[in-house]
């Protein structure tokens, strides 16, 4: 085991004491390559235990869309030591809860339970990391569950179908254009061999991050991790992630999606946008502030004030950007027009607001309000044990470091109006965009 190190995150920000109140974080790495983070929170005798794998849907082989999410389901089947279906029942019987989730870039499993049961959680999670037992019956059952989930959450929701189509148009080559749950016709073909190959390749300690947050002692957590995860054999198949990249986008793309079930038509535009990178987070921080300025603060945002108050043609507006992805993600803006307002008019008004913003820049007072809100949200986040665990797990899974996570609040606080404008001019390039109209079938 490599030497553990204690990082008092607040010490990294002494030059900007606004965020001196930070989580107490300890890190260590096991000899088999498994990384670990311990976040102390002694306010209640509970713990959040998470294992993150550096693999998501964007790492799937062609033709196997949905396998990462499918395996997430199969991880609850059972092992030689845990009977089929008992994993969650054991945790529930102890008064805890557990679940899992899959994204484009990672897959994570978590339990929230009384601190006294932390060792059992490690025992169970380590067991299924390398000793999952699958059979044809379980695979067929869970495949049907996933297909039912897709039917309920995607196929029955025109907004979700519309989102899939826009992503497929925005990413011409990268796997971010493929839905995490997978395309239905490919999910239907997933089998036991696919699941076992994916599991054996990616589910290994040297491809995993342990995150423990709660009422724990870092040294005791490390001893437990050595005892339970440290004995697992690493995989020699884990290599740096190699994914298809996007070619230059030469023209804007547009799509119209009609569905009889649509009740609230809207126009939305997504632009390719830079991701947040280790040691270089300033542009992502500027884009985060830009999204808040344009559409993150309700009626006080740029879009809300212009299109819901001053020229009230919309019932809702917004902007969004994710700062947690391995590869270039997207920045989006949308307008839901009011009754009698066409999508064409809504788009034209939206473009006018964006053009004026690029010309005039942010209002200084609004800029300060947004940054104050961000500072407050960072402080409130310290009270959310599960949220802190997720923050660290997600960031580390995409290649960021503990220092990057610690510095992120100060990166946000340091954003200037000039930074915001430079980021906006860089991202708002129509050639890198997809504009979509979601409409009720039979309308124009």
């Amino acid at each position: 085991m490599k030497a553990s190190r204690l990082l008092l995150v607040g010490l990294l920000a002494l030059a900007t004491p606004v965020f001196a109140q930070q989580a107490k974080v300890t890190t260590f790495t096991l000899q088999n390559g498994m990384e670990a983070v311990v976040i102390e929170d002694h306010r209640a005798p509970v713990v959040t235990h998470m294992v993150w794998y550096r693999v998501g849907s964007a790492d799937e082989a062609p033709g196997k869309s949905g396998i990462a999410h499918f395996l997430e389901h199969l991880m609850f089947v059972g092992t030689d030591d845990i009977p089929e279906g008992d994993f969650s029942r054991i945790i529930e019987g102890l008064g805890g809860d557990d679940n899992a989730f899959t994204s484009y870039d990672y897959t994570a499993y978590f339990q929230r339970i009384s601190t006294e049961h932390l060792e059992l959680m490690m025992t169970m999670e380590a067991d299924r990391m390398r000793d999952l037992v699958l059979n044809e019956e379980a695979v067929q059952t869970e495949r049907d569950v996933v297909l039912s989930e897709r039917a309920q959450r995607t196929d029955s929701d025109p907004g979700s179908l519309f989102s899939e189509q826009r992503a497929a148009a925005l990413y011409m080559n990268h796997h971010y254009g493929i839905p995490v749950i997978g395309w239905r016709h490919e999910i239907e073909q997933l089998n036991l061999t696919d699941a076992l190959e994916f599991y054996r390749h990616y589910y290994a300690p040297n491809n995993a991050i342990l995150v423990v947050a709660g009422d724990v002692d870092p040294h005791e957590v490390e001893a437990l991790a050595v005892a339970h995860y440290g004995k697992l054999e690493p995989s020699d198949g884990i290599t740096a992630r190699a994914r298809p990249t996007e070619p230059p986008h030469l023209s804007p793309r547009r799509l119209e999606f009609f569905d009889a079930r649509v009740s609230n038509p809207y126009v939305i535009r997504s632009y390719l946008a830079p991701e947040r990178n280790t040691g270089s987070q300033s542009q992502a921080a500027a884009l985060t502030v830009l999204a808040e300025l344009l559409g993150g603060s309700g009626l006080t945002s740029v879009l809300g004030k212009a299109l819901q108050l001053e020229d009230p043609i919309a019932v809702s507006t917004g902007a969004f950007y994710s700062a947690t992805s391995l590869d270039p993600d997207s920045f989006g803006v949308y307008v839901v027009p009011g009754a009698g307002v066409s999508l064409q008019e809504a788009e034209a008004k939206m473009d006018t607001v964006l053009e004026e913003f690029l010309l005039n820049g942010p209002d200084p007072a609004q800029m300060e309000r947004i940054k104050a809100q961000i500072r407050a949200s960072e402080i409130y986040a310290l009270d959310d044990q599960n949220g802190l665990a997720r923050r660290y797990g997600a960031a580390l899974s995409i290649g960021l470091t503990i220092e990057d996570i610690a510095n992120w609040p100060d990166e946000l606080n340091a954003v200037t109006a000039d930074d915001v404008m430079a980021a906006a001019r860089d991202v708002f390039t129509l050639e890198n965009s997809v504009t979509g109209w979601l409409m009720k079938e039979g309308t124009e």
Side-chain angles (χ1 to χ4, degrees):
M1 147 186 56
K2 298 179 182 178
S4 62
R5 61 191 181 93
L6 179 63
L7 177 61
L8 295 177
V9 177
L11 296 179
L12 296 176
L14 291 178
T16 51
V18 173
F19 296 110
Q21 181 186 0
Q22 291 276 3
K24 187 177 181 181
V25 179
T26 305
T27 68
F28 58 89
T29 302
L30 302 180
Q31 287 185 343
N32 58 15
M34 187 172 186
E35 298 176 22
V37 178
V38 182
I39 308 165
E40 294 184 60
D41 176 8
H42 300 290
R43 292 170 300 167
V46 295
V47 64
T48 298
H49 171 267
M50 306 190 77
V51 171
W52 297 70
Y53 293 95
R54 290 186 179 93
V55 61
S57 65
D59 301 297
E60 296 165 342
K64 302 297 180 182
S65 68
I67 186 64
H69 173 254
F70 183 39
L71 182 59
E72 176 211 311
H73 279 248
L74 292 170
M75 285 287 283
F76 290 87
V77 170
T79 69
D80 286 337
D81 298 324
I82 303 173
E84 185 171 331
D86 274 8
F87 196 97
S88 294
R89 282 198 289 267
I90 291 171
I91 295 167
E92 184 179 351
L94 296 171
D97 62 87
D98 74 315
N99 214 323
F101 50 89
T102 305
S103 82
Y104 290 113
D105 298 312
Y106 47 75
T107 308
Y109 302 82
F110 68 91
Q111 302 86 38
R112 182 171 169 82
I113 200 164
S114 174
T115 306
E116 64 186 290
H117 300 303
L118 175 60
E119 183 170 11
L120 177 60
M121 297 304 100
M122 287 196 185
T123 302
M124 295 169 64
E125 200 67 79
D127 185 31
R128 68 175 173 176
M129 181 184 288
R130 299 298 269 169
D131 196 25
L132 187 65
V133 175
L134 298 179
N135 54 58
E136 289 287 356
E137 182 180 359
V139 166
Q140 291 177 16
T141 298
E142 290 304 321
R143 186 175 58 217
D144 288 342
V145 170
V146 172
L147 287 168
S148 176
E149 181 182 331
R150 179 177 169 93
Q152 293 175 5
R153 297 184 180 181
T154 304
D155 299 334
S156 63
D157 178 16
S160 295
L161 291 172
F162 180 47
S163 179
E164 280 189 347
Q165 295 297 306
R166 289 187 294 104
L170 183 62
Y171 296 100
M172 299 189 296
N173 195 45
H174 194 283
H175 286 183
Y176 285 169
I178 300 173
V180 171
I181 198 169
W183 300 117
R184 170 171 286 276
H185 69 286
E186 292 186 345
I187 299 171
E188 292 172 341
Q189 301 302 315
L190 296 177
N191 55 47
L192 177 60
T193 299
D194 296 329
L196 288 173
E197 286 180 351
F198 194 86
Y199 170 70
R200 290 166 180 163
H201 183 88
Y202 290 108
Y203 278 56
N206 52 324
N207 200 41
I209 303 163
L210 169 68
V211 180
V212 177
D215 186 26
V216 294
D217 177 88
H219 300 293
E220 293 177 2
V221 172
E222 183 173 2
L224 291 174
V226 170
H228 296 285
Y229 292 111
K231 63 186 178 182
L232 301 177
E233 289 295 322
S235 169
D236 57 8
I238 302 301
T239 59
R241 291 199 252 192
R243 292 171 168 178
T245 56
E246 281 295 292
H249 289 201
L250 303 179
S251 67
R253 271 140 290 152
R254 302 186 62 87
L255 64 91
E256 297 178 355
F257 191 87
F258 296 88
D259 194 299
R261 299 167 293 183
V262 172
S263 56
N264 293 302
Y266 60 87
V267 56
I268 184 169
R269 181 179 298 138
S270 297
Y271 302 85
L272 287 178
E275 74 279 16
R276 177 178 160 199
N277 292 311
T278 182
S280 179
Q281 304 184 92
S282 58
Q283 188 173 23
L287 288 171
T288 300
V289 174
L290 174 63
E292 289 297 315
L293 281 167
L294 288 179
S297 304
L299 297 179
T300 63
S301 68
V302 172
L303 286 167
K305 182 179 178 182
L307 302 182
Q308 293 177 253
L309 291 179
E310 295 174 353
D311 183 12
I313 61 99
V315 296
S316 179
T317 59
F320 53 90
Y321 168 70
S322 172
T324 311
S325 64
L326 182 63
D327 299 318
D329 207 317
S330 64
F331 187 104
V333 290
Y334 68 87
V335 174
V336 181
V341 179
S342 69
L343 291 181
Q344 183 176 9
E345 181 181 357
E347 182 181 346
K349 296 281 189 179
M350 180 180 76
D351 283 337
T352 297
V353 174
L354 295 179
E355 289 167 4
E356 290 176 350
F357 181 84
L358 288 172
L359 181 64
N360 301 320
D363 174 74
Q366 176 67 352
M367 181 89 171
E368 284 308 309
R369 280 196 297 271
I370 290 297
K371 294 178 70 172
Q373 290 170 5
I374 290 173
R375 287 193 292 270
S377 69
E378 291 296 323
I379 294 172
Y380 296 147
L382 296 174
D383 292 330
D384 184 353
Q385 182 186 110
N386 183 63
L388 277 175
R390 290 191 178 215
R391 173 182 294 195
Y392 278 83
L396 294 171
S397 295
I398 62 167
L400 298 176
T401 66
I402 295 293
E403 289 76 14
D404 293 325
I405 301 166
N407 291 337
W408 180 240
D410 294 305
E411 293 275 6
L412 292 168
N413 193 48
V415 171
T416 66
D418 288 342
D419 296 331
V420 168
M421 295 308 296
R425 294 188 185 101
D426 180 62
V427 167
F428 291 156
T429 303
L430 285 177
E431 286 76 13
N432 289 332
S433 73
V434 172
T435 304
W437 289 6
L438 177 65
M439 294 175 283
K440 188 174 184 65
E441 200 167 60
T443 61
E444 295 183 1

